[in-house]
Amino acid sequence: GDSVTQMEGPVTLSEEAFLTINCTYTATGYPSLFWYVQYPGEGLQLLLKATKADDKGSNKGFEATYRKETTSFHLEKGSVQVSDSAVYFCALSDLRNTGNQFYFGTGTSLTVIP
Amino acid sequence: DGGITQSPKYLFRKEGQNVTLSCEQNLNHDAMYWYRQDPGQGLRLIYYSQIVNDFQKGDIAEGYSVSREKKESFPLTVTSAQKNPTAFYLCASRPWTSYNEQFFGPGTRLTVL
């Protein structure tokens, strides 16, 4: 079945460091891929998404490219800030094969220190 | 201002009591979901509904019940049969015919004493 495997955390970086959080997926069809961010005590917010192979999603300096050949959707940011400290979730949805179900990774906690 | 509301933000109940968590959306979305999140853990699907008067069990439905009598509302009841109900509960919704994302509410933290 469909699934998402996400890099385990926690991750601690200094401000202005480069961030990569790995995400790989398994899907029978052609899923859409998402990155969500969750701040403490809040719900999840969409960070970026890509709906087909080779698409690049980007938002607030974060980027991720949908790589079908490696079944990956790694999240990157060139220079992190303290305000980026949060938990990041990779997710997939395969509307044609599994309907409206979403599959989430286990989340990666990021702490950015000044 | 469209969105998903969950109330209350914090809820306390005594062991053995049923409790109902509210989830309302004014986004005109067809699908709605309930997830449970435990500290340091990912999301686990409890129930989801794709249309009014229809819903499906997720991975951890035991001890929970839902109803979907109106498109905009999807309340979750945590029953006394749920062995460990203390958790953070998240409601989400999504349009049916698109590749769009799920939209999440702010969550309800339930503590059973």
Side-chain angles (χ1 to χ4, degrees), chain A residues 30 32 34 36 38 41-46 49 51 87 89 93-96 98-107, chain B residues 9 31 33 35 37 40-43 45 48 50 88 90 94-107 109:
Chain A
Y30 302 92
S32 297
F34 307 85
Y36 283 86
Q38 184 181 33
E42 297 184 8
L44 277 67
Q45 303 172 26
L46 180 71
K49 67 180 181 183
T51 58
V87 180
F89 292 92
S93 170
D94 189 359
L95 196 66
R96 275 179 280 189
T98 52
N100 263 306
Q101 285 217 55
F102 263 64
Y103 298 87
F104 287 87
T106 53
Chain B
K9 180 74 174 171
Y33 308 76
Y35 293 93
Q37 188 177 28
Q41 309 243 341
L43 304 177
L45 182 64
Y48 68 103
Q50 301 190 99
F88 189 51
L90 286 161
R94 185 192 194 197
W96 171 250
T97 54
S98 75
Y99 295 94
N100 280 346
E101 64 274 20
Q102 285 187 341
F103 294 74
F104 281 83
R109 184 165 300 281

Side-chain angles (χ1 to χ4, degrees), chain B residues 59-76:
Chain B
D59 303 317
I60 57 164
E62 187 175 345
Y64 299 96
S65 66
V66 293
S67 63
R68 186 88 187 276
E69 296 176 3
K70 298 185 295 182
K71 188 175 185 179
E72 59 269 24
S73 178
F74 191 42
L76 173 74

Side-chain angles (χ1 to χ4, degrees), chain A residues 13-72:
Chain A
L13 294 173
S14 297
E15 205 165 19
E16 299 183 2
F18 185 85
L19 169 71
T20 300
I21 301 178
N22 290 338
C23 172
T24 57
Y25 68 89
T26 302
T28 52
Y30 302 92
S32 297
L33 301 173
F34 307 85
W35 276 101
Y36 283 86
V37 60
Q38 184 181 33
Y39 299 100
E42 297 184 8
L44 277 67
Q45 303 172 26
L46 180 71
L47 182 58
L48 52 84
K49 67 180 181 183
T51 58
K52 61 183 189 297
D54 300 325
D55 268 2
K56 178 187 278 189
S58 61
N59 185 26
K60 299 180 182 178
F62 291 89
E63 292 184 340
T65 301
Y66 187 158
R67 303 271 187 216
K68 190 167 184 293
E69 64 275 15
T70 54
T71 62
S72 66

Side-chain angles (χ1 to χ4, degrees), chain B residues 2-43:
Chain B
I4 302 176
T5 56
Q6 291 186 246
S7 59
K9 180 74 174 171
Y10 300 95
L11 192 53
F12 297 88
R13 279 294 183 270
K14 291 184 179 177
E15 198 170 341
Q17 289 182 333
N18 290 357
V19 59
T20 297
L21 280 59
S22 166
C23 178
E24 303 278 331
Q25 54 100 358
N26 60 4
L27 301 166
N28 199 34
H29 287 172
D30 297 282
M32 296 187 74
Y33 308 76
W34 275 105
Y35 293 93
R36 171 181 172 139
Q37 188 177 28
D38 293 285
Q41 309 243 341
L43 304 177

